[in-house]
Structures are given as structure tokens and as C-alpha cells.
Amino acid sequence: MTTKDADRVKEHTGTDPEELTDEELAQAMDQLGIDKEQVTAADKEIAASGDATTPAAATGDPGYADELQKLADLNKAGVLTDEEFAAKKAQILGL
């Protein structure tokens, strides 16, 4: 969910989206016409592989390029927003 959509949900419900139950969040998103993005196995793999303390590029691990390509593919497919892609890319590159 984009930051803009999260703000719309908060304005609509009066509660941060993170604090809503899955059912409440789904209902609010339906009412606001916000598309639901399905979390895929690839999304979970990318999330699990990320180390928030050490950027992959800084470790000298050449696998960061593969991870960036996966993220780019997810962004191109519409699974990740441009903002989400940019944030994760910056995290991986240590920017």
C-alpha cells in the first residue's frame, strides 16, 4: 500500500492502517476503491533476505544485483510502487 493510500485509509477510518484488523483494512480499501496487492512468495523471499543494518552492496556480496533486478521486476509488474522500489533500492545500496 502506498503512503497516499495509507493516509486515505487513516482519514477514512480514523485509525492507522497498521492498527486495523485484516478484515477492517480490507473493508476500508474496498470502500475507498484501493486495489489489494497480493503478497507473493518472491515478495516474502525479498523481505526475508533484507538486512536492515547492513546494505547488501556494502558486504561485497554480488547477490545484491540479483535482488535489485527482482525488485525492478516486481516494480514493473505493479507489485511494488515506485516509492516502495526506491526505498528498498536505497536500503540495499546503503544510500
Side-chain angles (χ1 to χ4, degrees):
M1 174 182 311
T2 65
T3 303
K4 181 179 176 182
D5 288 340
D7 290 343
R8 290 178 59 210
V9 168
K10 183 176 180 179
E11 183 178 319
H12 180 72
T13 64
T15 305
D16 285 326
E18 296 86 13
E19 297 175 11
L20 297 172
T21 65
D22 290 341
E23 185 176 302
E24 291 169 332
L25 181 58
Q27 182 179 15
M29 290 174 70
D30 284 342
Q31 291 170 347
L32 293 169
I34 299 171
D35 292 331
K36 296 175 193 75
E37 297 175 359
Q38 296 296 319
V39 178
T40 65
D43 296 335
K44 291 178 184 178
E45 179 182 321
I46 290 171
S49 70
D51 180 353
T53 59
T54 306
T59 66
D61 178 12
Y64 76 91
D66 292 335
E67 188 171 354
L68 286 173
Q69 185 59 53
K70 287 179 186 177
L71 289 169
D73 292 343
L74 291 170
N75 177 252
K76 185 176 180 180
V79 175
L80 293 176
T81 65
D82 290 341
E83 294 86 8
E84 292 165 332
F85 173 73
K88 188 65 177 173
K89 178 181 168 184
Q91 178 186 0
I92 290 169
L93 296 176
L95 302 175

